[in-house]
Amino acid sequence: MRFTKGDESKQKESWKLSGQLRKRMAHAKRFSQIPMSKCMRDLCKEEDYTFLNSLEKQDKSPESTCVESESQEKQEERIRRRLEREQLEQEKQREIEEQQKEKEGQWKSHVAELAVQRKAIRAKLDRLREFRDFQKQVVLQDLGLDPASANETVKHLLMRL
């Protein structure tokens, strides 16, 4: 059986129509699952079919593939820049944390140093008090006075020493 050119074009059109019909039937199945009134369903069907037809036309145009590839490249560029920004923010955060840890370490060492100095000063104060008490006892023994008595002359003498 031979087909003429007219028959071939008719056959292509019938295949095209059957493809569109299949798409519409698949759409009708999905569409029927949505609860709505009959008049709304008729209105929505018309809008849906026009929308589906416009989508088919967009898919076939070579410009849409260029636009899609450009938009994909732009999106990838945006993602790359966002990742770079996030990485920089993480690095800055790490640097800030390191600086804070370093400052804390310096502060702790400074406080420890002050504590050591305070202990040394208290030890010196205790030694000075012991020496003063010893001086007082020696002065009182030299003067032949009772160590329990608190004499003003003794205090005055110790102040001068």
Side-chain angles (χ1 to χ4, degrees):
M1 191 185 222
R2 294 186 82 191
F3 292 105
T4 61
K5 287 187 178 183
D7 291 336
E8 287 178 6
S9 65
K10 286 180 185 178
Q11 188 178 14
K12 285 181 183 178
E13 284 181 33
S14 68
W15 278 101
K16 196 179 209 182
L17 289 174
S18 66
Q20 288 177 350
L21 185 61
R22 274 187 262 141
K23 286 181 183 178
R24 284 186 177 183
M25 288 179 69
H27 178 70
K29 284 181 184 177
R30 280 188 275 150
F31 191 75
S32 66
Q33 295 172 352
I34 302 171
M36 64 176 66
S37 68
K38 287 185 178 181
C39 66
M40 279 301 293
R41 188 174 301 279
D42 290 336
L43 287 173
C44 290
K45 277 184 187 178
E46 293 300 321
E47 291 176 4
D48 286 351
Y49 290 138
T50 55
F51 176 73
L52 288 173
N53 287 335
S54 68
L55 281 180
E56 289 175 358
K57 290 176 184 174
Q58 284 180 351
D59 288 343
K60 292 178 182 175
S61 66
E63 294 173 0
S64 66
T65 56
C66 290
V67 171
E68 287 176 8
S69 64
E70 287 177 9
S71 64
Q72 187 176 6
E73 288 174 5
K74 287 179 182 178
Q75 186 176 8
E76 289 173 357
E77 181 66 22
R78 277 189 234 122
I79 291 171
R80 186 185 58 77
R81 283 184 289 185
R82 181 177 48 88
L83 291 174
E84 287 176 358
R85 277 194 309 268
E86 288 175 358
Q87 188 177 11
L88 286 174
E89 288 175 16
Q90 288 174 353
E91 289 175 8
K92 286 180 183 178
Q93 189 65 30
R94 274 190 233 117
E95 288 176 6
I96 290 170
E97 289 173 359
E98 288 174 5
Q99 289 174 353
Q100 287 177 343
K101 286 179 183 178
E102 186 178 322
K103 285 181 181 179
E104 281 182 32
Q106 289 174 351
W107 178 252
K108 286 180 182 180
S109 66
H110 177 68
V111 169
E113 185 180 319
L114 289 176
V116 168
Q117 287 177 356
R118 181 177 282 148
K119 285 182 182 179
I121 290 172
R122 284 193 178 151
K124 202 177 212 182
L125 178 66
D126 290 340
R127 285 195 307 271
L128 280 173
R129 283 183 182 154
E130 288 175 13
F131 180 71
R132 279 296 209 196
D133 290 340
F134 174 73
Q135 263 186 334
K136 185 178 180 182
Q137 287 176 356
V138 169
V139 168
L140 288 174
Q141 284 177 357
D142 285 348
L143 294 175
L145 297 172
D146 184 23
S149 68
N151 198 346
E152 287 295 322
T153 56
V154 174
K155 284 183 183 179
H156 186 66
L157 258 170
L158 286 174
M159 291 273 204
R160 289 182 134 200
L161 290 175

